[in-house]
Amino acid sequence: MARYISDFGLVTMRKFIGILCALFFVGCEQDVKPTKNVLFILVDDFGYNDLSFRGSKFYETPNIDALAKESTIFNEGYANSRVCSPSRASIMTGKFTARHGITDWIGAPTGAEWRKRNRFNQLLPPEYVRQLPSEDITLAEALKEQGYTTFFAGKWHLGGEGSWPDDHGFEYNVGGWDSGSPKGGFFAPYNNPKLKNGQPGENLSMRLAKETVAFMKDQKEQPFFAFLSFYAVHAPIQTTQEKWNKYRNKAAANGLAASGYGMEAVLPIRQVQDNPIYGGLVESMDDAVGHVLRSLEELGLDKNTMVVFTSDNGGVASGDNYATSNLPLRGGKGYQFEGGIKEPYLIKIPWLDNQVVETNVPVTAADLYPTILDAVEVELMPSQHQDGMSLLPLMGGLPTKERSLIWHYPHYGNQGGQPSSIIRKGKWKLIHYYEDGRNELYDLERDISEKNNISEENLELTKVLYEELMDFLNGVDAKFPEKDPLYDAAKERVYLERMATEKRKALEQQRLEILEPNFQPNEDWWGSQTTKD
């Protein structure tokens, strides 16, 4: 037996004994557990209200809607950051961003380098960890150790070469590398060193879905962990002429708003869902989700595969491509408000008895690590997933203890968000701003749009939450921004005025141009992005 295990290192003693039991019928069949697989679907920049089942009258997501009907819907599900890399690191580690140290998207400038963005801000953002820490045991590594075959497809953005998916527990890596956006766009050729090109015009989302299905088909007789991480619906937003035409007609039928943009503190922000290019991109992603879910059934894997579906941050309403509106949630990607961090959050566990339909208990993506381990009956690792908790009891209808959730983003978002940290406890949400040290307090049960700052009416509660927030941040050695000695308030005012006038006017004009019946961005439509901030 020792020789067998040595020759076949991936076969653990436990699996070997299970094989003997099955072959020789020695009466220990009760110890052989059925295979339990995990399929994790992560969408990039996908907003809480970018779904039909969430009430969108513009986007069509029938396949995700169907998954929602079979899942627990977490109405208060959150990403762990308002931008991508920190959120993804929290999924992989089970830790809040301040603890693992990746607090901004990898590649974002810090310190004096931030001045080159010409935003003329008061603060200089601090340095942050620029690759997934090797000392962490990732979710993939934890499952691989238990005999799971691990697969990754799509966007990674957790470090350069040497810190790619295959360096952190994934045995297969299709398309995951440094880049946070699809360098070649959403149609082949992809300009991706980890993804072979298909025929010109092949859709990236569907290609990643097909790669995932091929893996699951090949591994169907043994436990697997498949992580499908779409580059969609990140910029550049692109679609086909057919889908643009469909959503352009739908926008017209819904009635075009006279104005598409309002203003946040820094940048214009989209107020309506009527971008036909983005609508087509969303539908293509949903088509790819449908392909994977149908294939699970066709392969006979739907009854023993746990499915997780979520996003890494809010929909892009400012900056980037100004693609969608998150209303009634305030803000979007890059913002400290609910639109920046609240996400679609679905979990389907076919073997879980009495799985609840929905819950309003606040949860974060850091909870997915222990939840997955618990669901497939792997021992939890509390020293690793320190800020996550298993959601299995909650999904089974049991009460949970109230806890505090923490977000830390001491940076300026490309989309107009401000350096700040957040604590949510129960219905209360406190935002602490680093420019002027002020606190905002919101009652999310009464004020989902965060219009009414009630900190002055609740001074004691504000003080308690702020102190708890800072105790946590200081306890994990969080990094904070510093005052910029070259800050020029006059230059900042000029910049803000230009955004409120010239930029907003240009965006309103562009919105109407995209909705014109004769709009055509280029010959093949594959490069149909709208704008870059």
Side-chain angles (χ1 to χ4, degrees):
M1 181 181 296
R3 175 177 173 78
Y4 179 86
I5 293 173
S6 176
D7 290 345
F8 299 91
L10 291 178
V11 181
T12 64
M13 180 74 75
R14 181 178 177 184
K15 288 182 68 178
F16 183 73
I17 292 172
I19 292 169
L20 288 180
C21 290
L23 289 175
F24 299 108
F25 304 99
V26 293
C28 56
E29 292 91 339
Q30 66 272 18
D31 293 329
V32 181
K33 298 176 182 178
T35 299
K36 293 178 179 178
N37 307 310
V38 181
L39 170 63
F40 196 122
I41 303 174
L42 182 65
V43 186
D44 197 17
D45 292 357
F46 195 45
Y48 183 81
N49 292 317
D50 283 354
L51 289 153
S52 312
F53 88 85
R54 279 291 178 203
S56 175
K57 303 300 183 185
F58 188 61
Y59 309 125
E60 297 180 15
T61 55
N63 296 297
I64 302 170
D65 296 348
L67 175 62
K69 291 179 180 178
E70 299 178 332
S71 304
T72 296
I73 301 171
F74 292 83
N75 294 319
E76 300 296 317
Y78 288 95
N80 287 98
S81 179
R82 63 186 86 170
V83 296
C84 58
S85 298
S87 292
R88 292 165 182 271
S90 291
I91 291 171
M92 290 297 166
T93 66
K95 297 178 179 180
F96 291 157
T97 60
R99 192 187 297 275
H100 61 61
I102 302 176
T103 52
D104 206 353
W105 59 273
I106 294 175
T110 60
E113 287 295 307
W114 176 252
R115 295 191 191 116
K116 295 179 180 179
R117 297 302 302 271
N118 291 323
R119 298 288 181 92
F120 310 106
N121 298 124
Q122 298 180 37
L123 304 177
L124 296 177
E127 188 52 73
Y128 55 89
V129 175
R130 292 179 181 253
Q131 66 178 28
L132 193 61
S134 59
E135 58 268 25
D136 277 299
I137 301 171
T138 67
L139 175 58
E141 289 169 330
L143 291 172
K144 182 180 178 182
E145 178 67 22
Q146 297 299 318
Y148 277 74
T149 306
T150 54
F151 170 90
F152 186 91
K155 173 173 172 173
W156 178 245
H157 205 187
L158 284 172
E161 192 167 1
S163 186
W164 286 354
D166 24 346
D167 300 301
H168 292 283
F170 289 98
E171 297 166 80
Y172 299 88
N173 173 23
V174 180
W177 65 304
D178 311 23
S179 180
S181 62
K183 291 299 185 183
F186 287 100
F187 300 89
Y190 301 121
N191 192 22
N192 184 323
K194 300 297 290 184
L195 181 64
K196 293 181 180 179
N197 283 321
Q199 292 296 314
E202 178 187 62
N203 181 272
L204 176 59
S205 296
M206 187 58 75
R207 168 65 181 279
L208 295 174
K210 289 180 177 179
E211 293 279 359
T212 304
V213 169
F215 163 78
M216 294 191 299
K217 182 177 181 180
D218 186 57
Q219 301 292 328
K220 63 179 296 186
E221 300 302 327
Q222 55 190 1
F224 63 76
F225 173 43
F227 199 111
L228 173 54
S229 178
F230 288 110
Y231 280 95
V233 290
H234 193 284
I237 60 170
Q238 299 173 332
T239 192
T240 61
Q241 186 171 13
E242 178 184 16
K243 279 187 166 56
W244 168 84
N245 189 61
K246 171 183 176 177
Y247 284 95
R248 184 265 164 197
N249 291 340
K250 191 170 185 178
N254 287 345
L256 297 180
S259 173
Y261 292 89
M263 279 298 300
E264 263 296 345
V266 178
L267 294 177
I269 188 163
R270 196 174 185 94
Q271 303 287 291
V272 293
Q273 294 184 345
D274 65 1
N275 187 321
I277 300 175
Y278 184 71
L281 178 60
V282 168
E283 183 178 309
S284 293
M285 178 274 295
D286 183 77
D287 290 342
V289 170
H291 176 71
V292 175
L293 297 180
R294 284 190 298 274
S295 297
L296 274 180
E297 294 185 15
E298 293 166 2
L299 293 170
L301 294 169
D302 55 309
K303 297 297 190 293
N304 67 325
T305 302
M306 173 185 186
V307 181
V308 176
F309 179 94
T310 191
S311 174
D312 61 350
N313 50 248
V316 182
S318 284
D320 297 355
N321 279 90
Y322 296 85
T324 191
S325 169
N326 298 294
L327 293 176
L329 303 183
R330 184 177 176 184
K333 177 183 179 180
Y335 281 91
Q336 59 273 19
F337 304 114
E338 294 292 274
I341 55 177
K342 184 174 277 191
E343 304 304 324
Y345 197 120
L346 311 173
I347 302 178
K348 174 187 175 183
I349 305 179
W351 56 86
L352 181 63
D353 293 333
N354 303 315
Q355 183 171 337
V356 299
V357 174
E358 63 179 359
T359 174
N360 293 322
V361 174
V363 300
T364 79
D367 297 323
L368 294 171
Y369 191 139
T371 301
I372 290 171
L373 296 188
D374 205 4
V376 301
E377 299 180 52
V378 169
E379 187 175 353
L380 299 188
M381 304 171 63
S383 62
Q384 171 57 52
H385 47 75
Q386 293 174 267
D387 299 311
M389 73 173 189
S390 172
L391 302 178
L392 242 61
L394 179 61
M395 294 176 66
L398 297 177
T400 59
K401 183 179 179 181
E402 184 178 80
R403 58 181 174 150
S404 297
L405 307 177
I406 307 288
W407 292 262
H408 183 57
Y409 191 74
H411 311 276
Y412 288 100
N414 290 340
Q415 302 77 19
Q418 297 158 296
S420 52
S421 295
I422 303 165
I423 181 170
R424 174 164 182 179
K425 192 167 190 177
K427 67 178 183 176
W428 304 107
K429 176 181 176 181
L430 180 136
I431 306 173
H432 176 70
Y433 291 86
Y434 292 108
E435 284 189 337
D436 57 9
R438 76 183 187 280
N439 293 311
E440 292 177 351
L441 180 68
Y442 298 99
D443 178 348
L444 294 180
E445 286 186 359
R446 297 184 176 183
D447 183 18
I448 193 173
S449 300
E450 296 169 282
K451 294 180 178 179
N452 185 25
N453 171 20
I454 55 175
S455 59
E456 290 299 318
E457 298 96 302
N458 297 272
L459 292 176
E460 183 58 29
L461 176 61
T462 298
K463 178 177 181 290
V464 169
L465 290 175
Y466 169 69
E467 289 177 349
E468 182 180 351
L469 172 63
M470 297 312 296
D471 283 346
F472 176 87
L473 295 178
N474 290 324
V476 297
D477 194 27
K479 304 300 184 290
F480 300 97
E482 297 179 353
K483 295 289 185 182
D484 185 352
L486 302 184
Y487 170 65
D488 187 325
K491 288 182 178 179
E492 185 180 36
R493 283 195 298 271
V494 170
Y495 170 78
L496 295 175
E497 178 62 24
R498 182 163 55 85
M499 292 298 103
T501 55
E502 297 174 21
K503 184 65 175 181
R504 183 173 178 180
K505 181 179 179 181
L507 287 168
E508 293 285 10
Q509 181 179 350
Q510 181 190 68
R511 168 178 169 260
L512 297 177
E513 288 174 354
I514 293 169
L515 290 163
E516 285 291 328
N518 61 350
F519 172 73
Q520 184 161 349
N522 48 50
E523 290 183 1
D524 59 18
W525 270 84
W526 300 339
S528 56
Q529 71 182 71
T530 57
T531 185
K532 289 184 178 179
D533 181 39

